[in-house]
Amino acid sequence: MRKTFALVAAAVALTGCGMLPGQQGLGGEERQTAATTLEQVEETAAETPAETLAQTPAESAPPQQDQVIASRETKVASGANHGTARAEITGLKRQGRTATLSWTVTALDGKVNVHNGMGSYTLDFTVSAVALIDPVNAKRYRVARNGAGQDAKCVCSHTQGQFLEQGETSSLYAVFAAPPPDVTKVNVELPMIGVISDVPIS
């Protein structure tokens, strides 16, 4: 039986496209060096002060598109949970100064930990560690947050309690600051899953 987890999030004023630990108030757009592979990427501080981006509050995650535009299947392990997962990206849509990534994760066998497997730390029950990689301009975009303080929350799916059994699917989303208009494809970095290359921006 295939189950889909409905996710609820509130998107308010966005600050940059994320913040690095210990660098409050900075946007999460990071210039990188030698960005051909993640192993070669050197993360640095954001280049510019954070800017406030306006977005209409939403009561639920953006709707998933029917068409799968990119996917990756792999063995995953997080905590005591092991299994095989398939991630399918169903949308990366630019809307003004923001871009919304939509995707699903399906457990093909074993147990897949979406609970905190895509968060930035152990008790982070979100997908805040997901990132967009612009290899041409050597930048990484982190998930947007709704403020500049320590209590600022990511504008993304909350995943607490999601341990997927075989055949179960979780629908997820995250909002980022949009890359420049001339950037038409990015790489998507998904914790546990890996990097999905050349994802088109619509």
Side-chain angles (χ1 to χ4, degrees), residues 91-103:
L92 179 53
K93 186 175 182 180
R94 190 195 310 270
Q95 293 178 299
R97 297 170 66 187
T98 65
T100 300
L101 175 71
S102 301
W103 75 101

Side-chain angles (χ1 to χ4, degrees), residues 36-179:
T36 53
T37 67
L38 289 181
E39 290 74 14
Q40 295 173 317
V41 168
E42 178 181 350
E43 295 188 32
T44 61
E47 298 177 295
T48 58
E51 298 177 344
T52 300
L53 308 179
Q55 179 178 343
T56 301
E59 295 182 355
S60 60
Q64 294 287 322
Q65 299 181 16
D66 294 333
Q67 183 180 5
V68 175
I69 59 176
S71 65
R72 179 179 171 85
E73 184 177 315
T74 186
K75 295 286 187 182
V76 296
S78 181
N81 301 281
H82 303 266
T84 303
R86 181 176 63 245
E88 295 182 334
I89 295 176
T90 55
L92 179 53
K93 186 175 182 180
R94 190 195 310 270
Q95 293 178 299
R97 297 170 66 187
T98 65
T100 300
L101 175 71
S102 301
W103 75 101
T104 63
V105 175
T106 300
L108 303 181
D109 62 47
K111 180 178 283 190
V112 176
N113 175 16
V114 181
H115 171 68
N116 62 354
M118 292 188 171
S120 300
Y121 50 90
T122 302
L123 297 179
D124 181 6
F125 309 123
T126 71
V127 296
S128 66
V130 173
L132 305 181
I133 309 293
D134 174 3
V136 175
N137 296 304
K139 292 180 180 178
R140 171 183 274 113
Y141 292 84
R142 296 193 177 277
V143 178
R145 294 185 178 274
N146 63 3
Q150 291 183 346
D151 295 332
K153 297 180 180 180
C154 79
V155 185
C156 65
S157 294
H158 291 259
T159 55
Q160 188 168 10
Q162 294 193 31
F163 296 95
L164 306 183
E165 303 283 356
Q166 183 175 359
E168 293 181 338
T169 295
S170 178
S171 296
L172 306 164
Y173 84 101
V175 176
F176 303 83

